[in-house]
Amino acid sequence: MWIRRTFSRLESNESAISRIRCGRIVMRDGALERIEQHGMRSPVSVAQVWWQAKFAALEGDVCCLDYHVPRGMRAFMTLDYVRSGNATGYATAIGAFQVLEEIARLRKAHAIVAHVSNARITDRHLKRAGWERHLLDWPGRHFIRRMQPNVSLSA
């Protein structure tokens, strides 16, 4: 995959990160390692998932999230692929999802959508993390994480 730029700090690069259309979040040992800007999204196949699980497994406490913004749908983000290492901890996985949500907030996205094919990721776990079932009449398990709009209570 062609990497155009990388960012190691979210706070100091908010403007540039909010313009990323295709990217990857890499968390390691509970901390953000980098956010990569990719030139194009790379579709994921079942064969690729099998190959990476068998021959290119990630080592240690690491979690990678691939995401993109579909053309013509700037108000939405898709979570394309989640990879975790053989010792990924809860703090690392949740931290990666929190960074994804922060990027969605910076982009002013209405929602993040995902097609979950891993049976080990349960509906209950996703519900606790703020995701809900979506497109119930489509095949597969589709989820959506709606972003709450910024509400001002000042009069």
Side-chain angles (χ1 to χ4, degrees):
M1 185 170 294
W2 180 48
I3 299 173
R4 293 176 59 189
R5 294 191 287 180
T6 62
F7 304 94
S8 58
R9 296 185 46 82
L10 185 63
E11 303 82 22
S12 59
N13 299 296
E14 287 181 353
S15 178
I17 291 170
S18 71
R19 291 189 306 270
I20 295 175
R21 284 200 59 252
C22 302
R24 175 177 289 158
I25 299 163
V26 180
M27 293 284 290
R28 189 176 301 277
D29 300 321
L32 177 64
E33 183 174 288
R34 68 186 178 275
I35 299 170
E36 302 172 353
Q37 178 182 11
H38 293 206
M40 63 180 68
R41 95 177 185 93
S42 105
V44 180
S45 68
V46 174
Q48 176 186 356
V49 172
W50 175 83
W51 178 267
Q52 288 178 342
K54 187 137 180 101
F55 300 108
L58 296 175
E59 296 292 324
D61 184 6
V62 62
C63 184
C64 301
L65 303 182
D66 289 356
Y67 69 93
H68 84 281
V69 177
R71 281 198 196 285
M73 301 183 77
R74 293 181 27 209
F76 294 92
M77 292 175 59
T78 64
L79 174 58
D80 298 324
Y81 190 41
V82 178
R83 265 184 95 190
S84 60
N86 59 358
T88 300
Y90 183 77
T92 300
I94 291 301
F97 282 95
Q98 289 172 342
V99 171
L100 179 67
E101 290 172 15
E102 181 62 17
I103 293 170
R105 186 191 67 76
L106 291 171
R107 291 191 59 84
K108 297 179 175 61
H110 294 268
I112 306 167
V113 294
H115 177 206
V116 179
S117 58
N118 187 332
R120 294 186 302 175
I121 301 172
T122 65
D123 291 8
R124 182 174 161 250
H125 175 78
L126 288 163
K127 185 175 181 176
R128 288 181 63 195
W131 293 77
E132 57 190 84
R133 287 296 297 259
H134 184 58
L135 302 172
L136 297 174
D137 54 336
W138 285 26
R141 295 171 53 223
H142 298 270
F143 285 85
I144 187 167
R145 172 78 164 94
R146 297 184 197 320
M147 306 305 294
Q148 298 300 319
N150 293 335
V151 178
S152 175
L153 299 176
S154 60

